[in-house]
């Protein structure tokens, strides 16, 4: 995959994930870096609705506050709550609900192969994400 996101200084791919409140992976969507965050989230919303029809409330950061995404989410009977940075925030601060995804990305980065995007194919990269977070779940089950 290719593409470049100048705002995030990201070359290659972006990882869009949906996690539960415990940080466990629900859905993953990989896109080229030049795709906007809200566009990448549209596929996640469709997939979450099909897999978990009872979910109603989603949390997202400011990058996902786009009219088209919000209207598509409302059409699928979701309420998206945008968790914004604090007005005077500089650097990292723990914000309610927002830290769950950040923590999941941190868990992914502990899997050496995911620190950089080494894979040529998106499906292999997505599989590595699933394997890494699946291994984390297995460790937690085996060693409570």
């Amino acid at each position: 995959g290719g593409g470049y996101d100048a705002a995030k200084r990201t070359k290659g791919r972006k990882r869009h994930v949906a996690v539960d409140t415990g940080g466990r992976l629900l859905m993953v969507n990989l896109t080229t870096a030049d795709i906007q965050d809200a566009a990448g989230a549209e596929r996640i919303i469709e997939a979450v609705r099909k897999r978990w029809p009872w979910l109603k409330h989603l949390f997202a950061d400011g990058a996902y506050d786009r009219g088209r995404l919000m209207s598509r989410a409302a059409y699928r009977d979701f309420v998206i709550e945008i968790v914004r940075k604090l007005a005077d925030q500089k650097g990292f601060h723990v914000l309610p609900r927002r830290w769950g995804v950040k923590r999941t990305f941190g868990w992914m980065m502990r899997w050496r192969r995911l620190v950089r995007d080494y894979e040529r194919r998106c499906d292999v990269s997505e599989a590595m994400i699933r394997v890494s977070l699946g291994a984390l779940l297995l460790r937690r089950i085996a060693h409570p």
Side-chain angles (χ1 to χ4, degrees), residues 45-91:
I45 285 177
E46 291 171 16
V48 165
R49 175 51 68 223
K50 287 177 187 171
R51 178 68 177 87
W52 293 280
W54 58 87
L55 286 178
K56 298 287 183 201
H57 203 104
L58 303 174
F59 296 94
D61 67 12
Y64 296 97
D65 190 11
R66 301 290 182 266
R68 180 177 166 171
L69 176 65
M70 295 302 230
S71 64
R72 291 213 173 174
Y75 175 75
R76 288 187 168 72
D77 198 27
F78 280 118
V79 173
I80 296 185
E81 183 178 332
I82 302 297
V83 181
R84 301 200 181 280
K85 289 183 179 181
L86 304 171
D88 57 346
Q89 179 177 339
K90 291 198 179 10

Side-chain angles (χ1 to χ4, degrees), residues 34-142:
D34 57 348
I35 301 294
Q36 293 297 315
D37 290 345
E42 286 180 27
R43 189 168 144 217
I44 293 265
I45 285 177
E46 291 171 16
V48 165
R49 175 51 68 223
K50 287 177 187 171
R51 178 68 177 87
W52 293 280
W54 58 87
L55 286 178
K56 298 287 183 201
H57 203 104
L58 303 174
F59 296 94
D61 67 12
Y64 296 97
D65 190 11
R66 301 290 182 266
R68 180 177 166 171
L69 176 65
M70 295 302 230
S71 64
R72 291 213 173 174
Y75 175 75
R76 288 187 168 72
D77 198 27
F78 280 118
V79 173
I80 296 185
E81 183 178 332
I82 302 297
V83 181
R84 301 200 181 280
K85 289 183 179 181
L86 304 171
D88 57 346
Q89 179 177 339
K90 291 198 179 10
F92 176 78
H93 291 303
V94 176
L95 297 172
R97 300 292 177 201
R98 197 164 157 172
W99 60 269
V101 171
K102 304 285 185 203
R103 182 179 59 181
T104 302
F105 279 123
W107 290 336
M108 284 170 37
M109 293 305 118
R110 292 176 69 190
W111 196 267
R112 189 170 161 208
R113 195 162 166 178
L114 293 175
V115 173
R116 303 276 181 281
D117 194 8
Y118 295 114
E119 313 304 333
R120 287 181 177 234
R121 295 177 23 198
C122 272
D123 60 340
V124 175
S125 186
E126 184 176 322
M128 291 308 304
I129 291 169
R130 292 182 185 280
V131 166
S132 70
L133 294 172
L136 176 71
L137 287 175
L138 285 174
R139 271 197 315 273
R140 288 188 179 162
I141 291 168

Side-chain angles (χ1 to χ4, degrees), residues 14-18 27-31 36-37 40-41 44 64:
K14 283 186 191 172
R15 299 165 175 163
H16 306 275
V17 298
M27 291 284 159
V28 61
N29 179 23
L30 277 79
T31 62
Q36 293 297 315
D37 290 345
I44 293 265
Y64 296 97

Side-chain angles (χ1 to χ4, degrees), residues 9-33:
R9 293 187 217 127
T10 304
K11 182 180 178 185
R13 292 188 193 111
K14 283 186 191 172
R15 299 165 175 163
H16 306 275
V17 298
V19 299
D20 67 3
T21 54
R24 291 171 293 275
L25 184 69
L26 298 177
M27 291 284 159
V28 61
N29 179 23
L30 277 79
T31 62
T32 57

